Amino acid sequence: MTTIVVVGGTGQAGRAVVREAGARGHDVRVVSRRRPEDVAELGGAAHHAVDLLADDDAAVIAALTAAFDGADAVVDTSNGMTPGAQAVFTTGARRVAEAAGRAGVGRAVVLSIAAVDQSEYPYYRAHAEQERVYAAGPAPVTVVRATQFHGFLDLFFGRGSRLGAWSRLGLLPYPRGCRFQTIDLRDVARALVDAAEGEDPLGVGPATGPSGAPTATVGGPQVLDARAMADAWRRARGSRRLPAGVPLPGPLGDFLRAGRNLVPDAAAGTTTYDQWLAGR
């Protein structure tokens, strides 16, 4: 039985990896800052409470080393959206990589983003640095880059989003001039666990990435215009809100409008956006 440790295993992507690894019969451990109130989220996995960004560097590395003891692979799905939390991609990654080396872990697997090194968007720059940190670390690493998850556009469509005022006007905002190749979290989890097992992630085949580490990129099964995705979301929700294209400013908007988020040659996902919407 293979032992897989999922760092960030209580997050959105981490939970999918925990479920996938457990379904394959692996012994699974979860590392996260807090133990979830609903232990069912752990799927029977052992939990280790470690704050990757705690002040005491040596104590964090020691706690991670203990959590990784005897593990065959570590899968890092940790995430930090705010500028302060993005240190998880640098300080946190260095600590995880060092602990994996100390514990003799045979393989580290890192979840990243397709073409993440091709944007000046701060969140993407931090993710690209995470890849470099792992590549320079003591444990063998495979980077799995994924396109945006199917839920990405809920940042625009959801009533609780920053564009909520548009909802009150009866409008459904979407990023104008952008296309997406979104992927289901379950497909991403399969790729990550494949890599943790030492297999070819979804048959895509890792190549040497910009960081120098073996890197596999996985994308969803379709390339769709954001307006088409807005229409699909409306149908699935029975919404009467009218689609309205809005400009997405800054480096992220430049990145998406240039189509650098698209990887048609790596369409490894199996669940379409419509299927994902129908299953929610």
PDB file of all heavy atoms in Angstrom, residues 193-218:
ATOM      1  N   VAL A 193      -2.827  12.104  -8.546  1.00  0.00           N
ATOM      2  CA  VAL A 193      -2.585  10.796  -7.932  1.00  0.00           C
ATOM      3  C   VAL A 193      -1.802   9.906  -8.897  1.00  0.00           C
ATOM      4  O   VAL A 193      -0.935   9.123  -8.462  1.00  0.00           O
ATOM      5  CB  VAL A 193      -3.903  10.147  -7.474  1.00  0.00           C
ATOM      6  CG1 VAL A 193      -3.648   8.761  -6.882  1.00  0.00           C
ATOM      7  CG2 VAL A 193      -4.597  11.030  -6.438  1.00  0.00           C
ATOM      8  N   ASP A 194      -2.063  10.011 -10.181  1.00  0.00           N
ATOM      9  CA  ASP A 194      -1.236   9.293 -11.161  1.00  0.00           C
ATOM     10  C   ASP A 194       0.238   9.652 -10.956  1.00  0.00           C
ATOM     11  O   ASP A 194       1.114   8.776 -10.911  1.00  0.00           O
ATOM     12  CB  ASP A 194      -1.635   9.673 -12.593  1.00  0.00           C
ATOM     13  CG  ASP A 194      -2.910   8.994 -13.067  1.00  0.00           C
ATOM     14  OD1 ASP A 194      -3.400   8.078 -12.370  1.00  0.00           O
ATOM     15  OD2 ASP A 194      -3.425   9.390 -14.134  1.00  0.00           O
ATOM     16  N   ALA A 195       0.509  10.944 -10.846  1.00  0.00           N
ATOM     17  CA  ALA A 195       1.888  11.399 -10.672  1.00  0.00           C
ATOM     18  C   ALA A 195       2.460  10.914  -9.346  1.00  0.00           C
ATOM     19  O   ALA A 195       3.637  10.535  -9.261  1.00  0.00           O
ATOM     20  CB  ALA A 195       1.957  12.918 -10.766  1.00  0.00           C
ATOM     21  N   ALA A 196       1.635  10.912  -8.295  1.00  0.00           N
ATOM     22  CA  ALA A 196       2.091  10.422  -6.988  1.00  0.00           C
ATOM     23  C   ALA A 196       2.445   8.944  -7.042  1.00  0.00           C
ATOM     24  O   ALA A 196       3.332   8.481  -6.316  1.00  0.00           O
ATOM     25  CB  ALA A 196       1.017  10.678  -5.931  1.00  0.00           C
ATOM     26  N   GLU A 197       1.769   8.205  -7.900  1.00  0.00           N
ATOM     27  CA  GLU A 197       2.057   6.774  -8.068  1.00  0.00           C
ATOM     28  C   GLU A 197       3.254   6.531  -8.980  1.00  0.00           C
ATOM     29  O   GLU A 197       3.665   5.391  -9.179  1.00  0.00           O
ATOM     30  CB  GLU A 197       0.831   6.071  -8.665  1.00  0.00           C
ATOM     31  CG  GLU A 197      -0.370   6.027  -7.729  1.00  0.00           C
ATOM     32  CD  GLU A 197      -1.605   5.441  -8.384  1.00  0.00           C
ATOM     33  OE1 GLU A 197      -1.657   5.409  -9.645  1.00  0.00           O
ATOM     34  OE2 GLU A 197      -2.517   5.019  -7.665  1.00  0.00           O
ATOM     35  N   GLY A 198       3.767   7.615  -9.562  1.00  0.00           N
ATOM     36  CA  GLY A 198       4.884   7.474 -10.488  1.00  0.00           C
ATOM     37  C   GLY A 198       4.458   7.161 -11.899  1.00  0.00           C
ATOM     38  O   GLY A 198       5.273   6.785 -12.740  1.00  0.00           O
ATOM     39  N   GLU A 199       3.150   7.340 -12.161  1.00  0.00           N
ATOM     40  CA  GLU A 199       2.622   7.050 -13.489  1.00  0.00           C
ATOM     41  C   GLU A 199       2.543   8.336 -14.313  1.00  0.00           C
ATOM     42  O   GLU A 199       2.667   9.442 -13.808  1.00  0.00           O
ATOM     43  CB  GLU A 199       1.233   6.424 -13.370  1.00  0.00           C
ATOM     44  CG  GLU A 199       1.207   5.121 -12.583  1.00  0.00           C
ATOM     45  CD  GLU A 199       1.993   4.014 -13.251  1.00  0.00           C
ATOM     46  OE1 GLU A 199       2.088   4.021 -14.494  1.00  0.00           O
ATOM     47  OE2 GLU A 199       2.529   3.153 -12.538  1.00  0.00           O
ATOM     48  N   ASP A 200       2.289   8.163 -15.607  1.00  0.00           N
ATOM     49  CA  ASP A 200       2.108   9.276 -16.521  1.00  0.00           C
ATOM     50  C   ASP A 200       0.755   9.921 -16.246  1.00  0.00           C
ATOM     51  O   ASP A 200      -0.278   9.278 -16.435  1.00  0.00           O
ATOM     52  CB  ASP A 200       2.172   8.733 -17.957  1.00  0.00           C
ATOM     53  CG  ASP A 200       2.020   9.803 -19.016  1.00  0.00           C
ATOM     54  OD1 ASP A 200       1.828  10.970 -18.657  1.00  0.00           O
ATOM     55  OD2 ASP A 200       2.087   9.445 -20.198  1.00  0.00           O
ATOM     56  N   PRO A 201       0.714  11.187 -15.795  1.00  0.00           N
ATOM     57  CA  PRO A 201      -0.568  11.803 -15.463  1.00  0.00           C
ATOM     58  C   PRO A 201      -1.547  11.836 -16.636  1.00  0.00           C
ATOM     59  O   PRO A 201      -1.342  12.544 -17.615  1.00  0.00           O
ATOM     60  CB  PRO A 201      -0.175  13.228 -15.039  1.00  0.00           C
ATOM     61  CG  PRO A 201       1.244  13.108 -14.613  1.00  0.00           C
ATOM     62  CD  PRO A 201       1.838  12.069 -15.518  1.00  0.00           C
ATOM     63  N   LEU A 202      -2.587  11.030 -16.534  1.00  0.00           N
ATOM     64  CA  LEU A 202      -3.650  10.975 -17.540  1.00  0.00           C
ATOM     65  C   LEU A 202      -3.121  10.710 -18.952  1.00  0.00           C
ATOM     66  O   LEU A 202      -3.739  11.078 -19.937  1.00  0.00           O
ATOM     67  CB  LEU A 202      -4.461  12.282 -17.523  1.00  0.00           C
ATOM     68  CG  LEU A 202      -5.284  12.549 -16.258  1.00  0.00           C
ATOM     69  CD1 LEU A 202      -6.029  13.866 -16.391  1.00  0.00           C
ATOM     70  CD2 LEU A 202      -6.274  11.435 -15.997  1.00  0.00           C
ATOM     71  N   GLY A 203      -1.951  10.095 -19.034  1.00  0.00           N
ATOM     72  CA  GLY A 203      -1.407   9.782 -20.344  1.00  0.00           C
ATOM     73  C   GLY A 203      -0.872  10.971 -21.098  1.00  0.00           C
ATOM     74  O   GLY A 203      -0.593  10.885 -22.295  1.00  0.00           O
ATOM     75  N   VAL A 204      -0.696  12.106 -20.424  1.00  0.00           N
ATOM     76  CA  VAL A 204      -0.254  13.317 -21.115  1.00  0.00           C
ATOM     77  C   VAL A 204       1.253  13.307 -21.331  1.00  0.00           C
ATOM     78  O   VAL A 204       1.755  13.727 -22.362  1.00  0.00           O
ATOM     79  CB  VAL A 204      -0.666  14.574 -20.310  1.00  0.00           C
ATOM     80  CG1 VAL A 204      -0.117  15.828 -20.959  1.00  0.00           C
ATOM     81  CG2 VAL A 204      -2.183  14.650 -20.232  1.00  0.00           C
ATOM     82  N   GLY A 205       1.982  12.811 -20.343  1.00  0.00           N
ATOM     83  CA  GLY A 205       3.424  12.711 -20.485  1.00  0.00           C
ATOM     84  C   GLY A 205       4.147  13.959 -20.023  1.00  0.00           C
ATOM     85  O   GLY A 205       4.033  14.999 -20.665  1.00  0.00           O
ATOM     86  N   PRO A 206       4.881  13.879 -18.903  1.00  0.00           N
ATOM     87  CA  PRO A 206       5.589  15.057 -18.429  1.00  0.00           C
ATOM     88  C   PRO A 206       6.800  15.379 -19.290  1.00  0.00           C
ATOM     89  O   PRO A 206       7.511  14.501 -19.755  1.00  0.00           O
ATOM     90  CB  PRO A 206       6.007  14.672 -17.001  1.00  0.00           C
ATOM     91  CG  PRO A 206       6.064  13.182 -17.016  1.00  0.00           C
ATOM     92  CD  PRO A 206       5.024  12.742 -18.003  1.00  0.00           C
ATOM     93  N   ALA A 207       7.014  16.671 -19.520  1.00  0.00           N
ATOM     94  CA  ALA A 207       8.215  17.154 -20.190  1.00  0.00           C
ATOM     95  C   ALA A 207       8.935  18.058 -19.201  1.00  0.00           C
ATOM     96  O   ALA A 207       8.404  18.395 -18.143  1.00  0.00           O
ATOM     97  CB  ALA A 207       7.840  17.915 -21.456  1.00  0.00           C
ATOM     98  N   THR A 208      10.124  18.463 -19.530  1.00  0.00           N
ATOM     99  CA  THR A 208      10.837  19.374 -18.649  1.00  0.00           C
ATOM    100  C   THR A 208      10.205  20.752 -18.736  1.00  0.00           C
ATOM    101  O   THR A 208      10.104  21.337 -19.818  1.00  0.00           O
ATOM    102  CB  THR A 208      12.321  19.449 -19.025  1.00  0.00           C
ATOM    103  OG1 THR A 208      12.888  18.141 -18.925  1.00  0.00           O
ATOM    104  CG2 THR A 208      13.066  20.381 -18.093  1.00  0.00           C
ATOM    105  N   GLY A 209       9.757  21.273 -17.592  1.00  0.00           N
ATOM    106  CA  GLY A 209       9.106  22.570 -17.563  1.00  0.00           C
ATOM    107  C   GLY A 209      10.103  23.699 -17.382  1.00  0.00           C
ATOM    108  O   GLY A 209      11.314  23.476 -17.274  1.00  0.00           O
ATOM    109  N   PRO A 210       9.613  24.936 -17.350  1.00  0.00           N
ATOM    110  CA  PRO A 210      10.500  26.088 -17.201  1.00  0.00           C
ATOM    111  C   PRO A 210      11.354  26.043 -15.943  1.00  0.00           C
ATOM    112  O   PRO A 210      12.454  26.589 -15.905  1.00  0.00           O
ATOM    113  CB  PRO A 210       9.525  27.271 -17.161  1.00  0.00           C
ATOM    114  CG  PRO A 210       8.305  26.786 -17.866  1.00  0.00           C
ATOM    115  CD  PRO A 210       8.210  25.333 -17.526  1.00  0.00           C
ATOM    116  N   SER A 211      10.842  25.380 -14.887  1.00  0.00           N
ATOM    117  CA  SER A 211      11.591  25.294 -13.637  1.00  0.00           C
ATOM    118  C   SER A 211      12.708  24.256 -13.705  1.00  0.00           C
ATOM    119  O   SER A 211      13.568  24.203 -12.831  1.00  0.00           O
ATOM    120  CB  SER A 211      10.644  24.932 -12.490  1.00  0.00           C
ATOM    121  OG  SER A 211      10.171  23.598 -12.636  1.00  0.00           O
ATOM    122  N   GLY A 212      12.685  23.424 -14.738  1.00  0.00           N
ATOM    123  CA  GLY A 212      13.632  22.328 -14.838  1.00  0.00           C
ATOM    124  C   GLY A 212      13.084  21.020 -14.316  1.00  0.00           C
ATOM    125  O   GLY A 212      13.723  19.974 -14.455  1.00  0.00           O
ATOM    126  N   ALA A 213      11.896  21.055 -13.709  1.00  0.00           N
ATOM    127  CA  ALA A 213      11.268  19.850 -13.173  1.00  0.00           C
ATOM    128  C   ALA A 213      10.377  19.205 -14.228  1.00  0.00           C
ATOM    129  O   ALA A 213       9.828  19.891 -15.093  1.00  0.00           O
ATOM    130  CB  ALA A 213      10.436  20.196 -11.943  1.00  0.00           C
ATOM    131  N   PRO A 214      10.182  17.869 -14.174  1.00  0.00           N
ATOM    132  CA  PRO A 214       9.200  17.232 -15.051  1.00  0.00           C
ATOM    133  C   PRO A 214       7.831  17.860 -14.842  1.00  0.00           C
ATOM    134  O   PRO A 214       7.379  18.001 -13.704  1.00  0.00           O
ATOM    135  CB  PRO A 214       9.224  15.771 -14.601  1.00  0.00           C
ATOM    136  CG  PRO A 214      10.554  15.587 -13.952  1.00  0.00           C
ATOM    137  CD  PRO A 214      10.871  16.897 -13.296  1.00  0.00           C
ATOM    138  N   THR A 215       7.192  18.247 -15.930  1.00  0.00           N
ATOM    139  CA  THR A 215       5.941  19.004 -15.840  1.00  0.00           C
ATOM    140  C   THR A 215       4.922  18.445 -16.820  1.00  0.00           C
ATOM    141  O   THR A 215       5.208  18.323 -18.017  1.00  0.00           O
ATOM    142  CB  THR A 215       6.183  20.492 -16.148  1.00  0.00           C
ATOM    143  OG1 THR A 215       7.148  21.020 -15.224  1.00  0.00           O
ATOM    144  CG2 THR A 215       4.898  21.298 -16.042  1.00  0.00           C
ATOM    145  N   ALA A 216       3.755  18.083 -16.304  1.00  0.00           N
ATOM    146  CA  ALA A 216       2.651  17.625 -17.147  1.00  0.00           C
ATOM    147  C   ALA A 216       1.541  18.666 -17.093  1.00  0.00           C
ATOM    148  O   ALA A 216       1.247  19.216 -16.026  1.00  0.00           O
ATOM    149  CB  ALA A 216       2.119  16.286 -16.651  1.00  0.00           C
ATOM    150  N   THR A 217       0.953  18.960 -18.232  1.00  0.00           N
ATOM    151  CA  THR A 217      -0.144  19.929 -18.297  1.00  0.00           C
ATOM    152  C   THR A 217      -1.421  19.203 -18.682  1.00  0.00           C
ATOM    153  O   THR A 217      -1.433  18.413 -19.631  1.00  0.00           O
ATOM    154  CB  THR A 217       0.159  21.037 -19.312  1.00  0.00           C
ATOM    155  OG1 THR A 217       1.341  21.736 -18.915  1.00  0.00           O
ATOM    156  CG2 THR A 217      -0.992  22.029 -19.394  1.00  0.00           C
ATOM    157  N   VAL A 218      -2.492  19.465 -17.939  1.00  0.00           N
ATOM    158  CA  VAL A 218      -3.784  18.844 -18.234  1.00  0.00           C
ATOM    159  C   VAL A 218      -4.840  19.936 -18.391  1.00  0.00           C
ATOM    160  O   VAL A 218      -4.905  20.872 -17.613  1.00  0.00           O
ATOM    161  CB  VAL A 218      -4.198  17.848 -17.127  1.00  0.00           C
ATOM    162  CG1 VAL A 218      -3.263  16.663 -17.104  1.00  0.00           C
ATOM    163  CG2 VAL A 218      -4.247  18.509 -15.756  1.00  0.00           C
TER     164      VAL A 218
END
